[in-house]
Amino acid sequence: MGFYSANTPEQKRVKQLTGDININEMFKNECNTRGIPIYNAYNIQKRLIHEVEQEQLVGVKQVDDRLMELLDERGKNKVTHRYVDFVAKEDSASRGTIPPRGDEKSSLPPKDQIKIPPRARDGQTFPTDDELPERELLKKIMLQNKKIINQNKVIIDLLKKQGEKDD
């Protein structure tokens, strides 16, 4: 059996860029280069996670852009490169998601043209009492009478037991 992760691509991207519970080394080094203290790095990570959970950031690109904004706001030193370009996007966006279906032609007709036949017993019709031959009709009546007789025997036995208790 497989394991299905409920994380969205945005959540995966935040974890990939900043780390999970502990901040990863690349993000720590980037924050040190920009002159951002470690507690602010944790604050940036929490801010990104919060905005993704509140669905303010939709898409991996928005997560990248927001991280760069936060790094630029908090950073004391100017840096010429973009941190998010060092981390591969393909891994975070594609893992755990079902790839889109190709446009290949299948040999099956469209769903609206497929007719499912009824089950065998749904297709049969049962004759009514008027259409039954006389012998079948007598068998049916005898079976009903047997059922009634058996029910009456059970009732008589229960009444006998009640009568014995009253004596």
Side-chain angles (χ1 to χ4, degrees):
M1 283 190 37
F3 175 75
Y4 178 74
S5 172
N7 291 341
T8 62
E10 293 87 4
Q11 289 171 328
K12 290 178 186 175
R13 184 64 175 165
V14 170
K15 285 182 183 176
Q16 190 178 24
L17 290 171
T18 62
D20 200 358
I21 296 170
N22 300 319
I23 292 182
N24 64 20
E25 288 301 315
M26 275 183 68
F27 189 60
K28 276 185 191 174
N29 294 340
E30 181 65 26
C31 290
N32 286 339
T33 332
R34 291 175 182 265
I36 300 173
I38 192 72
Y39 64 87
N40 270 342
Y42 278 106
N43 290 341
I44 290 172
Q45 181 188 33
K46 286 181 187 175
R47 183 78 216 151
L48 276 175
I49 291 171
H50 175 72
E51 288 181 8
V52 166
E53 286 174 351
Q54 296 298 317
E55 296 179 359
Q56 294 172 353
L57 301 176
V58 178
V60 176
K61 177 145 178 42
Q62 281 190 348
V63 171
D64 291 352
D65 293 341
R66 181 64 178 146
L67 175 63
M68 290 311 297
E69 283 176 27
L70 292 171
L71 286 173
D72 290 340
E73 282 176 16
R74 306 271 173 98
K76 298 173 185 166
N77 308 334
K78 286 291 173 195
V79 179
T80 57
H81 64 273
R82 270 177 61 93
Y83 166 69
V84 294
D85 293 338
F86 291 123
V87 184
K89 289 182 185 178
E90 297 82 30
D91 187 40
S92 68
S94 64
R95 282 182 80 193
T97 59
I98 299 170
R101 194 173 194 178
D103 290 336
E104 71 243 7
K105 295 288 182 185
S106 70
S107 60
L108 296 173
K111 281 187 178 180
D112 56 332
Q113 292 180 3
I114 296 175
K115 300 283 187 231
I116 299 173
R119 294 179 298 184
R121 75 160 188 253
D122 291 343
Q124 23 172 282
T125 56
F126 297 103
T128 60
D129 286 346
D130 300 333
E131 299 168 353
L132 282 176
E134 194 171 319
R135 185 175 181 92
E136 293 294 320
L137 192 58
L138 288 175
K139 283 183 183 177
K140 188 175 178 182
I141 293 172
M142 284 178 47
L143 184 64
Q144 287 175 345
N145 287 341
K146 281 184 185 177
K147 287 180 184 176
I148 292 172
I149 291 171
N150 288 337
Q151 287 174 348
N152 288 342
K153 284 181 183 177
V154 171
I155 293 172
I156 291 172
D157 289 339
L158 289 174
L159 288 174
K160 284 182 182 176
K161 287 181 184 174
Q162 286 290 345
E164 290 173 1
K165 288 182 184 176
D166 292 341
D167 287 343

